[in-house]
Amino acid sequence: MAANGAKGGFLDSYFSISARGSSVRQELLAGLTTFLAMVYSIIVVPNMLGAAGFEQGPVFVATCLIAAFGSLLMGLWAKLPMAIGCAISLTAFTAFSLVLGQGLSIPVALGAIFLMGVVFTLISITGVRQWILDNLPSGIAHGTGIGIGLFLLLIATNGVGMVIKNVGAGLPVQLGEVTSFPVVMTVLGLAAIFGLERRKVPGGILMVIIAISILGLIFDPNVTWQGFFAMPSLTGEKGSLVGSMDLLGALNPVVIPTVLALVMTAVFDATGTIRAVAGQAGLINERGHIISGGKALTADSVSSMVAGVVGGAPAAVYIESAAGTAAGGKTGLTAALVGVLFLLMIFLSPLSYLVPAYATAPALMYVGLLMLGNVTKLDFNDSVDALAGMLCAVFIVLTCNIVTGIMLGFVALVVGRLFAAEWKKLNVGTVIIAVALVVFYAGGWAI
């Protein structure tokens, strides 16, 4: 039911706010929550690309523009509460594999990103991505949600030093310094979210993020006031990256496999994320399809084309969008606000340093825990489907790669059906996807 005068107004009718059981206030709180959960990207992405020789100033502006464009497109056109930004995994691939690893020039790398966006968009608008979604078995669909939830927990806890890399013998991770300020704030923040959400306090997640950020500013010497306003520029000492992409260089036969690797990774990574976030927001219809799913799939692929033009990294729907849906976001107004806030950040970049990782970690952990609820949706009466989904979930977090988990889930499902003499339950689409993923990995193209 709408509130704060939303019912009957322009925003309500345009975004179907009342129809989806939300309110303008709830959508705005969700948008701000999503923004705060993913604003770290405008620091992380320029740092990674900077290590590969990109000028960080122009890349910072490009990162904001890509997130603004993608989120506004998702919000105003697809009308879904999913924010888009430069994908961290694909940013790392661009910096450390394309430029530093393969020695591609920055213009050629940007050309590869643009071509990836073009192919990605063609796959989206021709319905191939929708076909993939339609042929995503129930167990793997829910398993992807579980795996992404576990992945969020790992990302958040590692980001604050609660779980760290084990440099010695034994398992790859170990417990960090549990008495450190970031870890204490994270645990207390998560517990506070539990309580506030239990009491259904509007904006509880956002309140925790803001409160911890203020505590960090007071007690953490690493959180400092660095100003309010900074004049942006897309031109650095080496010139502008806008329009500098080298398409002919990217069409070199040596580079084409890299473009295809980017496309395959983006297709399954981003598609799995969209499905998981849509499920979290309750935006799956009775046929199991995402509401406005076709537009959602096209919005993130077009954003990657824009990334190549303005000099940034490939774009995708952010897992952190689930923080906003957990805060009540159900419509495109959530994503639209994220887009507007990223536009403002072009001029207010110093403010991004006031939200430390341990302020947003509780929100990400809370969302991750909620997404583990997908376990209850697995049908263990069909053990092959359910266990394939669980395998998918576990290997998403063990490999820190959504596509790897999906690939292993598909393989286990197909082979399991054959050994269970249940081949009649397989459809051609599922088998085709399984074979394509195996070939992708066997060929050594996986990122």
Side-chain angles (χ1 to χ4, degrees), residues 234-251:
L234 275 167
T235 303
E237 295 178 1
K238 301 177 184 177
S240 175
L241 290 174
V242 177
S244 66
M245 58 186 178
D246 182 357
L247 288 177
L248 290 179
L251 287 170

Side-chain angles (χ1 to χ4, degrees), residues 56 74 112 177 181 217 219 265 282 293 297 307 315 323 326 433 438 446:
Q56 292 194 36
M74 182 68 80
E177 182 54 65
F181 185 77
L217 184 60
F219 297 107
T265 301
L297 298 174
I433 293 171
V438 169

Side-chain angles (χ1 to χ4, degrees), residues 69-445:
F69 172 84
S71 298
L72 285 169
L73 183 63
M74 182 68 80
L76 299 177
W77 183 52
K79 300 179 183 177
L80 292 172
M82 304 176 190
I84 291 175
C86 293
I88 300 299
S89 59
L90 297 181
T91 299
F93 181 76
T94 300
F96 303 116
S97 181
L98 294 189
V99 180
L100 294 177
Q102 298 182 35
L104 300 185
S105 68
I106 290 175
V108 171
L110 292 176
I113 291 170
F114 181 81
L115 287 179
M116 167 262 188
V118 171
V119 176
F120 197 15
T121 301
L122 289 174
I123 289 173
S124 298
I125 63 178
T126 55
V128 173
R129 284 181 77 187
Q130 186 63 54
W131 176 81
I132 291 172
L133 273 176
D134 293 343
N135 285 280
L136 196 63
S138 174
I140 295 177
H142 297 313
T144 302
I146 298 166
I148 289 176
L150 291 167
F151 198 12
L152 278 176
L153 286 164
L154 180 61
I155 290 170
T157 52
N158 179 250
V160 299
M162 183 183 293
V163 174
I164 61 175
K165 182 179 180 180
N166 181 10
V167 295
L171 295 174
V173 296
Q174 65 181 31
L175 184 65
E177 182 54 65
V178 294
T179 59
S180 67
F181 185 77
V183 173
V184 171
M185 287 294 97
T186 298
V187 174
L188 292 178
L190 179 60
I193 289 175
F194 286 168
L196 292 173
E197 291 299 306
R198 172 67 173 171
R199 293 174 57 194
K200 300 188 183 331
V201 176
I205 295 175
L206 179 59
M207 288 166 59
V208 170
I209 293 175
I210 294 173
I212 294 179
S213 296
I214 293 172
L215 289 173
L217 184 60
I218 296 171
F219 297 107
D220 186 352
N222 295 315
V223 180
T224 58
W225 175 260
Q226 299 189 27
F228 184 78
F229 179 83
M231 200 63 192
S233 174
L234 275 167
T235 303
E237 295 178 1
K238 301 177 184 177
S240 175
L241 290 174
V242 177
S244 66
M245 58 186 178
D246 182 357
L247 288 177
L248 290 179
L251 287 170
N252 187 307
V254 176
V255 182
I256 290 298
T258 296
V259 174
L260 295 178
L262 281 169
V263 171
M264 281 290 287
T265 301
V267 165
F268 285 95
D269 192 322
T271 303
T273 301
I274 288 174
R275 174 62 174 75
V277 174
Q280 176 73 17
L283 297 175
I284 307 293
N285 63 25
E286 62 279 357
R287 293 182 298 168
H289 295 167
I290 300 170
I291 296 172
S292 298
K295 291 182 178 180
L297 298 174
T298 304
D300 67 341
S301 60
V302 170
S303 299
S304 285
M305 293 173 60
V306 173
V309 173
V310 301
V317 169
Y318 258 56
I319 297 174
E320 287 79 359
S321 298
T325 57
K330 297 179 182 296
T331 78
L333 183 56
T334 292
L337 177 62
V338 174
V340 170
L341 291 173
F342 271 111
L343 279 179
L344 292 177
M345 285 310 299
I346 295 175
F347 302 94
L348 306 176
S349 58
L351 293 180
S352 63
Y353 295 94
L354 292 178
V355 184
Y358 54 80
T360 56
L364 297 182
M365 292 175 69
Y366 176 69
V367 171
L369 291 169
L370 288 181
M371 295 182 79
L372 298 187
N374 280 288
V375 169
T376 63
K377 300 176 183 177
L378 293 173
D379 180 11
F380 281 92
N381 290 320
D382 184 353
S383 60
V384 174
D385 182 71
L387 291 174
M390 289 299 293
L391 183 71
C392 168
V394 169
F395 275 90
I396 283 176
V397 68
L398 290 182
T399 63
C400 296
N401 192 304
I402 296 171
V403 186
T404 300
I406 291 175
M407 182 272 291
L408 291 172
F410 266 97
V411 171
L413 179 70
V414 172
V415 175
R417 291 290 193 213
L418 294 177
F419 274 86
E422 295 177 345
W423 51 84
K424 291 183 179 179
K425 291 185 178 181
L426 289 171
N427 60 51
V428 175
T430 299
V431 175
I432 290 174
I433 293 171
V435 171
L437 285 169
V438 169
V439 171
F440 179 58
Y441 272 78
W445 299 305

